Amino acid sequence: MTMRLSERQNKILEWTSREDALSIDDLAQHFQLSTQTIRKDINSLCETGMLRRVHGGVCLPSAIENLSFNTRQVMNAGNKEQIGQTVAEQIPDGSTIFLGIGTTVGSVAKALMQHNDLRVLTNNLKVAAILCNNDRIDTHVSGGKLRQSDHDLVGVETIRFFSSFKADYAIVGTGGLDPTFGMMDFKPDEAYVTQSILENSRRKILVADNTKWNRQANVKVAAFNELDLMVTDHLPNNTIKIQLEMNDLEVKECC
């Protein structure tokens, strides 16, 4: 069973994603609450692995491990649903679509359920579970190595699977976003799969909520100028918006 985040816990996660670390005192002052109340939120978030304790405060988990799939599912869930709806509006019936790794991509799959005559190719088992009872969507699932903690498939077989097709649209998520390097991830295996998806598609769409900025993922995936469209809940600041525009990346903010 996954934990349901309160509005304050979601805000704590968003703020932490923009800072190296936050102190308990800073959080208590910001929310005008006692340190005891804030510690209850922090304890819950740390127990699920969403945050990591440091001396006197908290920070995000390490750069080499992403949060668990179940944990990521509840983070910013409402905003991810709106991202999914916004992307679905861009996809015409009759399209061939790659759906890649990640929980936000799962939200796109839900939003596509009313479409007709789609062909979907995916390594995302959440996507497959969502679409499996829809006979108007022709769904193909890759082979590969199962990652239980991420509910997906990776490896050479997965890369070959995507290389065998040419899709109208690639819809991909990301472990982190770096203002300089673009899309980042935590493991080379997931980066290689996403690169194959992007290389074999005509229009490349990134879905990512605002918490992905400056996440400490350290594997490069793709630069912003290799993408066509980014759909997000909102951008952190105007500087990043200008930088994305300079890379000719169209951005749709839906929240």
Side-chain angles (χ1 to χ4, degrees):
M1 183 175 178
T2 58
M3 171 186 173
R4 186 173 181 84
L5 298 184
S6 69
E7 182 179 356
R8 186 169 66 242
Q9 286 170 329
N10 259 313
K11 287 180 178 177
I12 290 171
L13 286 171
E14 286 189 39
W15 191 14
T16 310
S17 73
R18 299 192 296 268
E19 305 289 340
D20 291 333
L22 290 172
S23 73
I24 300 297
D25 289 340
D26 285 343
L27 287 164
Q29 185 175 359
H30 178 79
F31 290 103
Q32 297 184 322
L33 295 169
S34 68
T35 56
Q36 184 179 9
T37 300
I38 286 295
R39 283 183 194 280
K40 289 179 182 177
D41 282 331
I42 294 302
N43 287 341
S44 295
L45 293 169
C46 289
E47 284 168 9
T48 61
M50 296 184 189
L51 294 178
R52 178 166 57 97
R53 288 183 180 85
V54 293
H55 181 68
V58 289
C59 66
L60 291 178
S62 84
I64 61 171
E65 292 293 339
N66 201 356
L67 303 172
S68 74
F69 185 90
N70 287 339
T71 297
R72 285 181 278 133
Q73 269 196 305
V74 298
M75 288 179 67
N76 253 358
N79 287 4
K80 289 177 182 179
E81 287 180 8
Q82 292 190 56
I83 291 170
Q85 290 292 339
T86 302
V87 172
E89 292 167 5
Q90 309 293 310
I91 307 298
D93 289 344
S95 300
T96 296
I97 308 166
F98 290 150
L99 292 178
I101 293 167
T103 57
T104 310
V105 176
S107 296
V108 176
K110 288 181 185 177
L112 289 170
M113 286 291 282
Q114 303 307 312
H115 279 56
N116 293 301
D117 300 322
L118 296 180
R119 169 172 284 184
V120 170
L121 304 115
T122 187
N123 66 322
N124 187 324
L125 299 183
K126 179 69 173 179
V127 166
I130 291 166
L131 300 180
C132 68
N133 292 317
N134 188 331
D135 59 10
R136 301 188 313 279
I137 298 179
D138 178 28
T139 303
H140 298 248
V141 182
S142 76
K145 178 184 175 183
L146 172 64
R147 299 196 304 172
Q148 287 91 342
S149 63
D150 295 281
H151 296 202
D152 60 29
L153 298 152
V154 296
V156 174
E157 290 176 62
T158 316
I159 293 168
R160 286 177 180 163
F161 170 80
F162 287 115
S163 298
S164 300
F165 297 90
K166 192 71 175 181
D168 301 308
Y169 298 89
I171 300 169
V172 295
T174 188
L177 291 169
D178 183 277
T180 302
F181 296 110
M183 291 175 61
M184 307 292 291
D185 242 316
F186 293 88
K187 302 287 186 183
D189 278 354
E190 55 202 3
Y192 298 151
V193 169
T194 299
Q195 287 164 355
S196 179
I197 289 172
L198 294 173
E199 287 167 6
N200 293 288
S201 61
R202 294 182 176 87
R203 182 161 173 81
K204 302 161 180 61
I205 302 175
L206 168 64
V207 292
D209 68 273
N210 74 90
T211 64
K212 298 299 177 71
W213 287 98
N214 295 317
R215 290 283 309 276
Q216 297 302 305
N218 58 16
V219 180
K220 293 180 183 178
V221 181
F224 290 124
N225 61 12
E226 297 175 49
L227 305 169
D228 298 303
L229 171 65
M230 176 181 177
V231 181
T232 185
D233 47 0
H234 60 87
L235 295 174
N237 55 58
N238 258 351
T239 303
I240 285 176
K241 185 173 186 177
I242 291 167
Q243 189 165 356
L244 296 177
E245 289 172 351
M246 288 174 63
N247 280 279
D248 294 323
L249 177 58
E250 180 185 359
V251 179
K252 288 187 180 294
E253 298 177 80
C254 61
C255 304

